[in-house]
Amino acid sequence: MPQSAPSSSAFPLKRFALIGAIVGATAVAFAYTAGWLSPHRLTPDKFLAALTAPKGPAPGHRRNHAKGICFTGNFAANGQGSALSTARVFTPGQYPVIGRFNLAGPDPTQADPMAPVRGVGIQIATPDGQQWRSALIDAPFFAAPTPQAFYQFLMASGSKNPNAFKGYAAAHPEILNFVAWAKGHPRSESWAETRFNSLNSFLFTDASGARHAVRWSYVPTAPVVNLTPEELAKRSPDYLADDITQRVATSPQHFDLVVTVANPGDPTADPTKAWPADRRTVNVGTLTVQQILPEADGPCRDINYDPTVLPAGITTSDDPMPAARSAAYARSYDQRTAEARDYPRTASGSKTGAQQ
């Protein structure tokens, strides 16, 4: 049964460890590819082990955001994005989507009410064979400015030394913003009422060759109803999946894709720094969720929502996290697909084929 949600005055270290799992995989790969993890110090496997729950990973599942449910639908571009990017996905029209609503953390059986962070993975395909993949969460900013800082946070939050986190926070006060958000932000009653943010910065290239630093969000069109901690504690362990399944069976759910354009001088390499609220935003189209499918047999199961899979007209920026996430997701993908027999499909012939 779900327990009461934590109060704003209580946020035990075990919750810090869970938050660590939310974003930890990003630090793994970037540190590895940058050469910071020497054979005599740390390895990606050791780093991943630090993110694993005490009982070990859930075989066959993603190493983070392990609990999730698939959806299919479409993205209807309204043409407004073409002023920022030549990407085909912004040309007016409808493009098929395979997505996955999820919860941060390594446990595919965790209770929905207790998840501090919600996420979504989205793959949009265009007729020319290109894809735009992204993985977003509901946090408005990231937990750490660099992979090195995040690793230090992970070690501190998992330490038995009661002063370890205090020491980390003293050296990295930006973590307190994320902790305050994680323990105090309101939880809506549905994935369909949750705003999802890219956090990382990317570059859009327009027809003139000009580049625009951007971040983006999927903003729900459904009215947002927030739950009190007492209401949240009464919800069932799988209430988010049950809710989205029922909603979509009744009618499609919609999200506006809103692109935020940076001003000169806005930080693009530090995802802990949110851009000012007055930055230019462009609504470039609408995501429509049309069908919900269980992950075991669903089309999202074998998709790696690698944020560096981008169409022509969109590239990574000086933000190091997308490259880090790409490598970490690849490692997670390899591990879970090798364990596929431990996460059996329930319908014969349902395998859709791995998508890198």
Side-chain angles (χ1 to χ4, degrees), residues 10 12 55 57 60 69 86 119 159 196 199-200 205 225 235 260 313 323 331 335 339 344 346 349-350 353:
K55 64 181 180 181
I69 193 166
T86 58
S159 174
F196 298 101
L199 302 187
N200 300 123
T205 304
V225 177
R235 297 297 173 107
T260 301
R331 175 60 66 90
Q335 291 179 348
E339 302 160 349
T346 60
S350 63

Side-chain angles (χ1 to χ4, degrees), residues 2 6 75 234 276 279 314 336:
F75 172 68
K234 296 176 182 178
R279 292 301 180 256
I314 305 176
R336 66 185 173 88

Side-chain angles (χ1 to χ4, degrees), residues 4-341:
S4 297
S7 69
S8 59
S9 62
F11 198 71
L13 285 179
K14 66 181 181 179
R15 295 294 299 279
F16 290 142
L18 179 57
I19 293 174
I22 296 166
V23 287
T26 62
V28 179
F30 189 69
Y32 178 69
T33 56
W36 299 331
L37 304 183
S38 72
H40 304 293
R41 298 179 66 186
L42 289 173
T43 66
D45 287 337
K46 289 180 180 178
F47 210 126
L48 286 174
L51 302 171
T52 302
K55 64 181 180 181
H61 292 268
R62 297 167 202 261
R63 293 308 188 247
N64 192 20
H65 294 264
K67 186 174 186 178
I69 193 166
C70 298
F71 68 83
T72 58
N74 67 71
F75 172 68
N78 58 22
Q80 297 301 308
S82 295
L84 297 171
S85 171
T86 58
R88 173 69 182 275
V89 71
F90 296 128
T91 301
Q94 291 191 354
Y95 306 100
V97 169
I98 299 175
R100 180 178 183 265
F101 291 115
N102 58 73
L103 301 177
D107 183 2
T109 65
Q110 71 171 302
D112 295 357
M114 306 314 297
V117 174
R118 299 173 185 176
V120 68
I122 295 173
Q123 174 185 280
I124 307 174
T126 52
D128 56 1
Q130 298 190 72
Q131 294 181 353
W132 181 13
R133 299 187 194 177
S134 55
L136 309 88
I137 59 175
D138 59 341
F141 41 74
F142 202 60
T146 66
Q148 306 101 306
F150 182 76
Y151 178 72
Q152 294 167 5
F153 162 62
L154 184 66
M155 294 298 100
S157 62
S159 174
K160 295 181 180 180
N161 180 350
N163 295 316
F165 181 78
K166 293 180 180 179
Y168 176 83
H172 298 279
E174 67 279 347
I175 189 59
L176 299 178
N177 294 327
F178 189 87
V179 169
W181 173 85
K183 71 177 182 179
H185 75 281
R187 271 74 165 178
S188 70
E189 63 181 358
S190 176
W191 271 314
E193 299 174 9
T194 301
R195 174 181 176 132
F196 298 101
N197 306 302
S198 70
L199 302 187
N200 300 123
S201 301
F202 293 81
L203 298 175
F204 282 8
T205 304
D206 65 26
S208 72
R211 291 186 171 186
H212 310 273
V214 302
R215 294 171 177 169
W216 57 80
S217 301
Y218 282 92
V219 181
T221 62
V224 177
V225 177
N226 290 321
L227 301 176
T228 66
E230 293 74 21
E231 292 171 329
L232 191 66
K234 296 176 182 178
R235 297 297 173 107
S236 70
D238 299 313
Y239 88 93
L240 286 172
D242 294 341
D243 169 86
I244 197 68
T245 300
Q246 293 169 5
R247 286 186 186 230
V248 175
T250 300
S251 63
Q253 301 296 301
H254 306 282
F255 296 79
D256 289 330
L257 175 51
V258 178
V259 174
T260 301
V261 183
N263 279 0
D266 284 343
T268 55
D270 185 349
T272 69
K273 295 181 179 179
W275 294 341
D278 64 355
R279 292 301 180 256
R280 175 190 175 198
T281 60
V282 182
N283 185 329
V284 300
T286 302
L287 168 69
T288 298
V289 179
Q290 297 173 312
Q291 185 179 19
I292 300 295
L293 306 100
E295 183 185 58
D297 298 317
C300 74
R301 171 175 171 146
D302 292 328
I303 294 180
N304 170 11
Y305 288 100
D306 179 344
T308 66
V309 175
L310 301 166
I314 305 176
T315 62
T316 56
S317 69
D318 59 347
D319 186 336
M321 292 303 182
R325 292 166 62 191
S326 175
Y329 291 5
R331 175 60 66 90
S332 173
Y333 178 85
D334 289 343
Q335 291 179 348
R336 66 185 173 88
T337 54
E339 302 160 349
R341 66 180 181 181

